[in-house]
Amino acid sequence: MFWVIGSFWLFSCGVFAQGSTESVPSKNVSSCPGYVLQNLEENSNGLSASLTLGGTACNAFGTDIENITIQVTYETETRLHVNIFDTANKQFTIPEDVISRPSSPETSVVNSSDLVFNYDPSPFAFWITRRSDPDAMPLFDTRTSSLPPTPISPFMPEDERTSLDGFDLVFEDEYLQLTSALPLDANIYGLGEYIASSGFRRDVAKKGSIQTMWARDIQDPTDENMYGSHPFYLEHRFNESTNTSQSHGVFLLNAAGSDILLATPPNSSTSLIQYRYLGGTLDLYFFSGPTSKSVVEQYGELIGFPAWVPAWGFGFHLCRWGYLNINDTREQVIKMREAGIPLEVMWNDIDLYHAFRDFTSDPVSFPGEEMRAFIRDLAANNQRYIPILDAAVPVLTNDTDVYNPYTSGSERGVFVRNPDGSEYIGQVWPGYTVFPDWFNNKTEQWWLEAMTNWSEGGIEFSGIWLDMNEVSSFCEGSCGTGANLSNTAPPFILPGDPGGEITTYPECYDPSISGPSGNLTVNGTSTCTNASQIVGLVPRGLGAAEQPVDVVDPPYAIHNGFPSLSNHTLATNGTHTGGILDFDVHNMWGMMEERATHRALQQLRPGKRPFIISRSTFPSSGKWTGHWLGDNSATWQYMYQSIQGVLQFQMFQIPLVGADTCGFIGNTDEELCNRWMQLSAFTPFYRNHNQRGALSQEPYRWDSVAEASKKAIATRYSLLPYWYTLFANASTRGTPPVRPLFFEFPDEPELFGVDRQFLVGSDILVTPVLTPNVTSVQGILPGRGQVTWRDLYTHQIVRPDDTTNNTITLPAPLSHINVHVRSGSAILMHASPGYTIEETRQGPYSLLVSLDSNGNGTGTAWGDAYVDDGISDPPMQSRVLTFVVDDGSERKLSITSEGEFVIQQVLREVTVLGVEERPEWVRLDGEDVRAGSTDVDENGDGNATVGGGWQWSWKNETEELVITDTGAETGLDLNSDHVVEWS
């Protein structure tokens, strides 16, 4: 970057802008004067005012903007909008037709909102408090008096960029800075996409952390920027004096590259968060909660709730990069069925393509008509097919080349351009490529036509897998300009090719001890050694050399893991329709592709829910897509870290998320794959996917993995009504389906950092094995003894080993994952899990009730279930079932049914846990139910059965009352109400 003093012009990011007379940015904000608030105007929904630069411009990393505006809008009683923007509106703002925002409220909530905006006029600062607790520490506080004195030496000593030189508001054309005080060592969650070495709870007080927002194609690094950008965090505050907690959320809607620093300066009584953005505006939203779940729901009300997921999307998916032809692909379907391991969806990676080109299938290895027949065979067996769709479109290699997606797109001008108007040409798998410009109003129609032609050519997909959409390019800049376009070879050796062989043994296997087989055991002895060496990954050092500054990089160098912002992606001067630079919209590319793909699927499959899994995401992506956690490695650490990834994306309103099970990069082993197949069965998106050239890891490859997979999938499918209801709640009100333990038990500080266990909904506790060579696992039983946890499989009560901290050691043989049910719950289940989701849904239901005992032989429970056809878009008729056990002497389970959808399947079994004494009688809808043959009919009166076959039994060991319909074609009609009583 350079300054031309005489002409007052600044060259930045490939364009010229009028600027300062100073020759070099100071790169220090200590002299920045802040702003002064003037011209305050109040209105029925808040206020607006002008902010004027409070002194001489500092021009720290750009040009100070003298006049900015603040608008404060009380949008709901739980959401407050504070928007600080340049008065001239020259800074980039996200268009509302890209991410829609709620309109101003019709009725004022200024005086009823739980959030209150407070401010000092000079120097301008603001803070947010709760109306319900005005004397508590503010939720957000930018006053310098609330922050430590500056300057502060780098909190990461090896990185000069982590110095804190000043805290006044900075608003420049290429640098925005805003800082807020936090409670000391605050409980901060979110700010992604990120794999934090500190875990799901962000490190604020020890080393601190830096969340960089710059979408990046990189193989799942630790403590670095990754595929997605989500500047939203949740803070959970615990009041030690009252033993109560409250949560709130903060969201900055800005697509620019940024660093968000979390730190605690030495000897400071407060921690802090500092935003450093390379442009845009400070468009802030605050959410009052006060529960963690409600914070996430309120965030969803703003950015949009997740798309409805088709029922089949919850099945098991199988893929690999390396199914080289249709026979390889078909063989997996056959082998999975032969092994009895359910397979719902078969996928293909880029092997499918002809010359790696989007919207094609190779005419030799994946001929269109054979693919059509294969996909229709899958459909006939209630299975589905999903192919990959990469982000880049190849250019023509010569005058005789024919490739319609490029030709038609180029004719319509739908590709990103260079500043001079020529097509921007990068490099990806098929060679030199162009990139769709989603800001062009012709692009979505072109995309739809390309997908339509692909489907009509034989690839009759049920869903789409979007990859490489950060967007990724293997070279820097428009490298195809003037290049030999016929060179279509990737600029590196592919995994599995000569020179790229994957020859490493699975993690912790030592061939010098156990020989070359790589087996899990040799002569009955585990071959896993040195397990302690894989407890953690080494985070990157932030003391790397200063990133180079050139004409497409701003003076403030964010902590992008690549050498420059333009490395391995579109250059920042890539130009979109309307002159929009990729510098301003880079982080949104994937989200806009997801939106276009979702809309295309709605037109291609009218009335059916689109199913999309994508890599790069941004706020509102969940309206269009699910997400997989990227290119992980086949290690125990990555299996553990997948949990924090799943929990993070629940907060981001992208709940359909999961990891590449068994690991993508490198060679997995039997034990790791066994444990991972079990873990992933309790995450929303469940797919096994691995790398070209690595050892095959389909679950049928090992007997123990096949056994573990069948058990885990059967459990998953039995719980499908529960999963489906959780996702209906996500799509209608933003409630996260998968939760950290403290979401349900907010007043138990020992849970605030737990990320080796998680909850599915409020009622299912999952405690996976995350280390090798063990037969037990340690966990914690939340609830501090006020909640009873029962084993999902055996129904036995589990009790903590240590009642002080409620820790427990659970048996965990190789093919078993510990899953427990919370007392007070009622869960509708599928009684007979089938090979596919459709077969499972056609079978009968069962109901599992776990009473929350009050100690006098009675108890309570509650649950509900949402049921519809599983596919309609938007959802049509539906039915909601509610299950309630009131606390009283009646001991009565009420089942109520509301809605228009007709449930064809019947309820065949009701199990009630926590029935402490053997009932004297059981009645169903007022009719006596006979005691089963395994129990004693103490009445001896031959009670008549209901429906021709209902009987009950009771097990003392598990305090379990089971009421079963033994008739062949009977059962309870779930379209009407029912009552079960016992005494």
Side-chain angles (χ1 to χ4, degrees):
M1 175 167 291
F2 61 89
W3 301 78
V4 183
I5 299 177
S7 59
F8 300 89
W9 289 89
L10 162 68
F11 187 73
S12 172
C13 300
V15 294
F16 289 95
Q18 200 165 13
S20 168
T21 59
E22 295 188 20
S23 59
V24 179
S26 69
K27 297 190 177 182
N28 187 300
V29 299
S30 60
S31 63
C32 292
Y35 285 81
V36 176
L37 184 143
Q38 299 172 326
N39 305 318
L40 176 67
E41 294 183 5
E42 296 185 353
N43 56 63
S44 61
N45 293 320
L47 60 86
S48 64
S50 59
L51 298 173
T52 304
L53 199 64
T56 303
C58 65
N59 298 324
F61 296 99
T63 303
D64 285 87
I65 298 176
E66 183 172 349
N67 297 307
I68 60 179
T69 299
I70 181 170
Q71 290 181 345
V72 178
T73 307
Y74 290 82
E75 295 189 343
T76 73
E77 292 185 344
T78 59
R79 184 176 73 240
L80 176 64
H81 185 192
V82 177
N83 189 11
I84 303 173
F85 57 93
D86 60 308
T87 307
N89 286 315
K90 291 184 178 180
Q91 296 284 99
F92 178 80
T93 58
I94 298 172
E96 294 231 11
D97 62 352
V98 174
I99 299 179
S100 60
R101 271 86 87 189
S103 57
S104 297
E106 296 181 0
T107 303
S108 175
V109 294
V110 171
N111 295 320
S112 58
S113 170
D114 190 37
L115 297 172
V116 179
F117 175 82
N118 312 271
Y119 68 93
D120 282 336
S122 181
F124 170 72
F126 71 93
W127 62 102
I128 309 298
T129 56
R130 287 190 191 275
R131 189 180 305 275
S132 57
D133 195 4
D135 297 327
M137 181 178 181
L139 308 186
F140 197 84
D141 190 352
T142 70
R143 292 173 293 183
T144 56
S145 60
S146 301
L147 291 156
T150 57
I152 300 170
S153 298
F155 65 86
M156 293 181 175
E158 72 279 14
D159 184 357
E160 288 297 322
R161 285 170 291 170
T162 65
S163 63
L164 301 165
D165 300 320
F167 294 138
D168 281 319
L169 171 64
V170 180
F171 203 112
E172 299 176 345
D173 57 354
E174 288 189 280
Y175 185 76
L176 312 180
Q177 180 176 297
L178 185 71
T179 312
S180 171
L182 294 172
L184 184 64
D185 196 16
N187 298 306
I188 299 292
Y189 308 88
L191 297 177
E193 183 175 5
Y194 203 68
I195 298 174
S197 56
S198 61
F200 178 55
R201 179 182 180 270
R202 299 302 294 266
D203 179 8
V204 177
K206 294 180 181 179
K207 296 181 179 180
S209 66
I210 301 173
Q211 176 66 56
T212 298
M213 303 292 180
W214 192 254
R216 175 172 172 239
D217 173 7
I218 184 64
Q219 297 171 346
D220 283 17
T222 301
D223 294 332
E224 295 185 25
N225 56 311
M226 296 173 62
Y227 314 108
S229 301
H230 294 273
F232 166 74
Y233 74 83
L234 179 148
E235 183 189 340
H236 186 66
R237 293 188 181 179
F238 178 70
N239 187 324
E240 293 184 358
S241 63
T242 63
N243 287 319
T244 60
S245 298
Q246 290 185 319
S247 293
H248 66 274
V250 181
F251 171 49
L252 177 53
L253 180 56
N254 188 329
S258 67
D259 282 341
I260 302 176
L261 280 57
L262 294 167
T264 303
N267 304 314
S268 174
S269 61
T270 63
S271 300
L272 61 86
I273 181 170
Q274 183 172 90
Y275 296 91
R276 298 176 177 180
Y277 269 78
L278 300 184
T281 63
L282 296 171
D283 195 3
L284 287 154
Y285 292 86
F286 301 92
F287 311 95
S288 69
T291 69
S292 297
K293 282 190 294 186
S294 61
V295 169
V296 176
E297 291 168 345
Q298 291 155 15
Y299 179 53
E301 289 174 359
L302 174 69
I303 64 166
F305 297 141
W308 285 84
V309 180
W312 57 263
F314 295 103
F316 174 67
H317 304 242
L318 181 62
C319 183
R320 83 165 296 173
W321 181 19
Y323 294 144
L324 300 181
N325 52 55
I326 188 174
N327 291 331
D328 278 355
T329 307
R330 184 187 291 112
E331 181 183 18
Q332 309 315 313
V333 180
I334 295 170
K335 293 282 190 181
M336 289 290 286
R337 190 172 286 273
E338 288 176 347
I341 305 171
L343 172 62
E344 187 73 15
V345 188
M346 192 67 215
W347 297 49
N348 274 125
D349 209 311
I350 56 176
D351 314 275
L352 169 70
Y353 292 151
H354 175 53
F356 293 130
R357 292 181 166 190
D358 276 348
F359 310 113
T360 67
S361 63
D362 188 273
V364 175
S365 54
F366 293 91
E369 289 307 312
E370 287 189 41
M371 285 299 294
R372 189 193 313 277
F374 167 63
I375 294 169
R376 290 183 177 180
D377 283 344
L378 287 173
N381 290 311
N382 298 312
Q383 295 170 296
R384 286 165 174 82
Y385 177 79
I386 292 178
I388 196 169
L389 187 53
D390 276 343
V393 175
V395 300
L396 300 183
T397 57
N398 54 54
D399 292 339
T400 62
D401 192 6
V402 177
Y403 180 61
N404 184 66
Y406 171 75
T407 303
S408 63
S410 184
E411 290 172 350
R412 301 183 208 188
V414 302
F415 302 126
V416 175
R417 298 188 172 276
N418 290 306
D420 64 5
S422 61
E423 287 181 347
Y424 183 103
I425 302 176
Q427 186 180 30
V428 195
W429 299 116
Y432 293 107
T433 59
V434 289
F435 304 88
D437 171 15
W438 303 112
F439 288 93
N440 188 319
N441 58 18
K442 299 177 182 178
T443 306
E444 286 198 9
Q445 180 61 32
W446 162 80
W447 192 251
L448 168 64
E449 291 174 8
M451 290 179 65
T452 302
N453 293 337
W454 196 26
S455 180
E456 292 177 349
I459 310 302
E460 296 178 346
F461 43 79
S462 294
I464 290 292
W465 172 21
L466 298 175
D467 195 12
M468 310 290 286
N469 56 352
E470 289 70 34
V471 61
S472 179
S473 178
F474 298 157
C475 64
E476 187 161 349
S478 188
C479 59
T481 301
N484 175 14
L485 300 179
S486 64
N487 179 11
T488 60
F492 45 77
I493 298 173
L494 297 182
D497 282 354
E501 297 88 351
I502 300 174
T503 58
T504 56
Y505 281 94
E507 184 181 28
C508 83
Y509 183 89
D510 188 343
S512 67
I513 297 174
S514 303
S517 72
N519 290 341
L520 175 67
T521 61
V522 173
N523 297 326
T525 302
S526 172
T527 57
C528 182
T529 60
N530 299 320
S532 61
Q533 296 179 5
I534 60 174
V535 171
L537 297 178
V538 179
R540 70 175 177 134
L542 292 173
E546 185 77 4
Q547 297 176 10
V549 174
D550 59 27
V551 296
V552 295
D553 282 310
Y556 178 75
I558 64 174
H559 288 73
N560 182 28
F562 289 141
S564 77
L565 299 183
S566 300
N567 187 265
H568 209 73
T569 187
L570 275 174
T572 50
N573 66 353
T575 306
H576 302 259
T577 298
I580 297 172
L581 294 181
D582 202 67
F583 176 77
D584 290 311
V585 299
H586 168 82
N587 289 330
M588 296 166 54
W589 201 99
M591 180 272 293
M592 297 183 74
E593 181 197 39
E594 291 145 15
R595 182 181 66 162
T597 306
H598 186 102
R599 291 173 173 173
L601 286 173
Q602 286 178 315
Q603 294 188 63
L604 278 165
R605 308 283 186 267
K608 295 183 178 180
R609 297 172 198 172
F611 184 90
I612 302 170
I613 294 296
S614 180
R615 195 166 70 178
S616 184
T617 57
F618 189 73
S620 80
S621 280
K623 292 171 62 176
W624 318 113
T625 186
H627 173 67
W628 96 102
L629 295 171
D631 295 344
N632 61 6
S633 293
T635 66
W636 291 89
Q637 179 71 6
Y638 272 103
M639 179 172 67
Y640 153 62
Q641 288 178 330
S642 72
I643 296 175
Q644 64 171 281
V646 169
L647 293 176
Q648 215 176 63
F649 275 86
Q650 307 303 301
M651 297 174 55
F652 301 153
Q653 292 291 336
I654 310 174
L656 184 65
V657 60
D660 275 348
T661 301
C662 300
F664 176 71
I665 299 168
N667 290 319
T668 194
D669 65 44
E670 179 180 356
E671 184 182 10
L672 176 62
C673 198
N674 185 306
R675 296 296 193 186
W676 210 332
M677 283 294 294
Q678 297 172 64
L679 167 61
S680 290
F682 293 90
T683 64
F685 175 56
Y686 187 15
R687 183 183 71 167
N688 181 315
H689 176 224
N690 75 322
Q691 181 183 40
R692 188 174 187 262
L695 293 175
S696 298
Q697 63 184 41
E698 296 85 4
Y700 64 80
R701 298 285 178 176
W702 303 271
D703 289 343
S704 77
V705 179
E707 178 189 2
S709 300
K710 285 187 284 189
K711 289 180 179 178
I713 294 172
T715 304
R716 178 184 180 89
Y717 286 14
S718 70
L719 288 170
L720 180 62
Y722 182 71
W723 276 110
Y724 197 72
T725 302
L726 292 172
F727 269 78
N729 292 336
S731 296
T732 53
R733 51 181 185 266
T735 309
V738 180
R739 302 163 195 170
L741 272 56
F742 80 89
F743 269 37
E744 291 294 326
F745 301 91
D747 302 330
E748 301 178 21
E750 63 270 23
L751 303 180
F752 295 170
V754 171
D755 59 5
R756 290 179 169 271
Q757 295 172 276
F758 58 92
L759 289 161
V760 179
S762 59
D763 301 326
I764 299 293
L765 175 65
V766 182
T767 308
V769 171
L770 301 170
T771 54
N773 201 19
V774 298
T775 56
S776 64
V777 62
Q778 287 190 322
I780 190 168
L781 296 177
R784 293 182 171 177
Q786 302 304 304
V787 173
T788 301
W789 294 97
R790 296 179 170 91
D791 188 291
L792 176 66
Y793 312 104
T794 67
H795 300 165
Q796 294 276 5
I797 294 175
V798 292
R799 306 187 190 280
D801 306 320
D802 185 338
T803 55
T804 301
N805 55 24
N806 294 297
T807 55
I808 186 171
T809 299
L810 298 162
L814 182 59
S815 294
H816 177 73
I817 182 170
N818 278 279
V819 184
H820 295 92
V821 180
R822 181 181 184 173
S823 59
S825 63
I827 301 174
L828 186 68
M829 304 172 69
H830 287 304
S832 303
Y835 190 78
T836 65
I837 296 294
E838 180 61 24
E839 293 168 34
T840 300
R841 282 170 58 92
Q842 292 305 317
Y845 289 100
S846 64
L847 179 64
L848 178 64
V849 179
S850 182
L851 296 179
D852 195 357
S853 176
N854 61 11
N856 63 4
T858 63
T860 61
W862 183 92
D864 65 352
Y866 172 92
V867 186
D868 66 12
D869 64 9
I871 194 66
S872 294
D873 179 45
M876 305 298 285
Q877 295 177 338
S878 63
R879 184 168 293 275
V880 175
L881 306 171
T882 306
F883 315 102
V884 178
V885 179
D886 291 323
D887 189 7
S889 59
E890 293 183 348
R891 298 178 175 87
K892 178 174 70 175
L893 165 65
S894 299
I895 303 173
T896 59
S897 179
E898 297 181 352
E900 298 179 347
F901 181 75
V902 177
I903 301 177
Q904 301 293 337
Q905 296 73 33
V906 297
L907 181 66
R908 297 291 291 274
E909 184 172 89
V910 177
T911 299
V912 185
L913 306 178
V915 179
E916 298 173 357
E917 297 179 355
R918 183 186 184 280
E920 295 181 4
W921 52 261
V922 175
R923 296 190 182 112
L924 177 56
D925 292 336
E927 299 289 335
D928 288 333
V929 178
R930 69 179 180 182
S933 59
T934 58
D935 206 28
V936 178
D937 182 4
E938 293 182 349
N939 295 328
D941 57 3
N943 288 331
T945 62
V946 175
W950 285 96
Q951 64 181 26
W952 65 270
S953 61
W954 180 77
K955 299 178 183 178
N956 179 56
E957 183 181 5
T958 52
E959 301 177 344
E960 180 175 358
L961 171 64
V962 182
I963 308 157
T964 305
D965 174 24
T966 60
E969 297 180 357
T970 56
L972 285 185
D973 179 3
L974 289 175
N975 300 293
S976 56
D977 297 347
H978 302 280
V979 175
V980 179
E981 300 169 279
W982 63 95
S983 180

